[in-house]
Amino acid sequence: MRHTLPIAPQFYVTAPQPCPYLKGRMERKLFTALQGEHAEQLNDALSKQGFRRSQNVLYRPSCADCNACLSARIRVADFQPSRSQRRAMRKNSSLERNATSPWATEAQYALFRRYLDSRHADGGMADMDIFEFAAMVEETPVRSRLVEYREPGLDVPENPEAGDLAAVCLTDVLDDGLSMVYSFYEPNLAHRSLGTYLILDHIEIARSAGLPYVYLGYWVPGSPKMGYKAGFNALEIYKGGAWQPIGDPEEHSSETHPLSVDPIAEQVARIHLPDTRPTRG
């Protein structure tokens, strides 16, 4: 019989940089490496505590004077689409979904490049080349899928390299749900609410797989870029060390108060890590 100690990853803090969601504020992240034979257990455990994955790193906002970024997830069993969300489902009923291994293609990058140039030209990913895109997709130490959505007969003269590819989502499969790591779509189809549709379809994928949650990343009160997530019912946010129903979104504006932030050492001390000791055998 052999015993190993529980995972004991090291946590670090990034240098402050301008926040992409709230003007005039600085962003800082608490992060740790995601690697080794227990990467999936660590990803599962920290995702339940508000962390997100980016390649082989898990991170959570830990800003010095703001606590506005709140991890969000949808309770699949309780979700009921709104009237506008049902319209989005009908508008996109012709899309064909195909879940593949996380392998980057030129068609995906062409769509990704067009999406960024149209919607996030001033964002932190605006200068990503095809090699960085491939790293984002392929450098995953956990169970990931690339979910492609194709529109038969789609013809976008401005983006012929993408073919009939209309939308893509990089998705992690957790032990309790699906985590939508990053998604992008054809800007010419924005009128079809593709971003909303991708979430709705992932809810259906999770339901069919018996998974209770779909993780959406961060919701930021008062941010136009992130406000749409509050439009999904059965939404929970990770706040005060626990998941809770979002309730009235307006009640969370106080999270931008500087006294709402706990010291880094206290944040790290409250993180629960998975016990990966082998069973007797």
Side-chain angles (χ1 to χ4, degrees):
M1 180 180 65
R2 180 175 62 87
H3 288 287
T4 60
L5 294 175
I7 292 176
Q10 297 296 311
F11 289 88
Y12 306 91
V13 179
T14 62
Q17 58 184 357
C19 177
Y21 305 120
L22 297 174
K23 291 184 179 181
R25 294 187 178 274
M26 300 298 289
E27 177 187 59
R28 189 178 66 176
K29 294 176 181 176
L30 178 68
F31 71 96
T32 188
L34 182 62
Q35 57 191 6
E37 61 179 314
H38 302 303
E40 287 199 1
Q41 293 98 313
L42 186 61
N43 191 36
D44 290 339
L46 294 194
S47 292
K48 297 183 181 79
Q49 298 171 71
F51 281 77
R52 295 284 288 170
R53 184 183 72 83
S54 177
Q55 294 173 235
N56 58 356
V57 169
L58 287 170
Y59 70 92
R60 187 172 72 184
S62 181
C63 305
D65 59 354
C66 176
N67 200 27
C69 291
L70 302 169
S71 190
R73 70 184 186 185
I74 295 171
R75 297 190 309 276
V76 171
D78 298 327
F79 174 77
Q80 293 294 329
S82 66
R83 181 178 300 177
S84 64
Q85 289 164 353
R86 288 195 296 271
R87 284 199 300 269
M89 293 169 69
R90 290 193 297 269
K91 289 179 181 178
N92 295 287
S93 60
S94 60
L95 290 177
E96 298 177 351
R97 180 217 302 152
N98 181 40
T100 70
S101 298
W103 186 258
T105 67
E106 292 183 5
Q108 293 162 7
Y109 179 70
L111 182 62
F112 172 75
R113 186 70 268 157
R114 182 165 163 75
Y115 173 80
L116 286 184
D117 292 344
S118 174
R119 301 182 64 89
H120 302 286
D122 58 347
M125 304 172 75
D127 296 328
M128 284 182 65
D129 60 27
I130 191 169
F131 301 105
E132 292 167 321
F133 172 77
M136 179 182 76
V137 170
E138 298 171 10
E139 290 183 9
T140 169
V142 300
R143 187 181 176 195
S144 302
R145 294 292 183 269
L146 208 60
V147 187
E148 297 183 332
Y149 296 84
R150 296 184 179 274
E151 178 71 272
L154 179 65
D155 181 18
V156 180
E158 300 91 343
N159 198 26
E161 298 91 344
D164 62 356
L165 192 62
V168 177
C169 186
L170 177 61
T171 304
D172 284 353
V173 183
L174 308 176
D175 62 355
D176 70 342
L178 301 177
S179 177
M180 299 179 70
V181 177
Y182 192 79
S183 60
F184 51 96
Y185 53 84
E186 168 52 49
N188 274 356
L189 301 181
H191 63 283
R192 288 170 50 169
S193 304
L194 274 174
T196 294
Y197 176 76
L198 295 187
I199 295 174
L200 295 171
D201 192 59
H202 273 68
I203 293 172
E204 291 306 311
I205 296 172
R207 181 177 284 120
S208 65
L211 296 171
Y213 301 108
V214 172
Y215 289 81
L216 301 182
Y218 296 107
W219 172 70
V220 185
S223 170
K225 290 183 179 180
M226 309 296 281
Y228 71 94
K229 296 179 183 180
F232 289 83
N233 63 38
L235 190 74
E236 296 181 342
I237 55 173
Y238 189 77
K239 182 178 179 182
W243 290 98
Q244 57 186 271
I246 188 172
D248 183 358
E250 297 295 329
E251 294 180 356
H252 301 286
S253 59
S254 62
E255 295 306 306
T256 59
H257 193 281
L259 296 183
S260 66
V261 181
D262 294 327
I264 291 292
E266 291 184 18
Q267 294 180 40
V268 173
R270 289 197 295 267
I271 293 173
H272 300 289
L273 300 174
D275 188 339
T276 59
R277 289 175 292 189
T279 58
R280 183 183 295 273

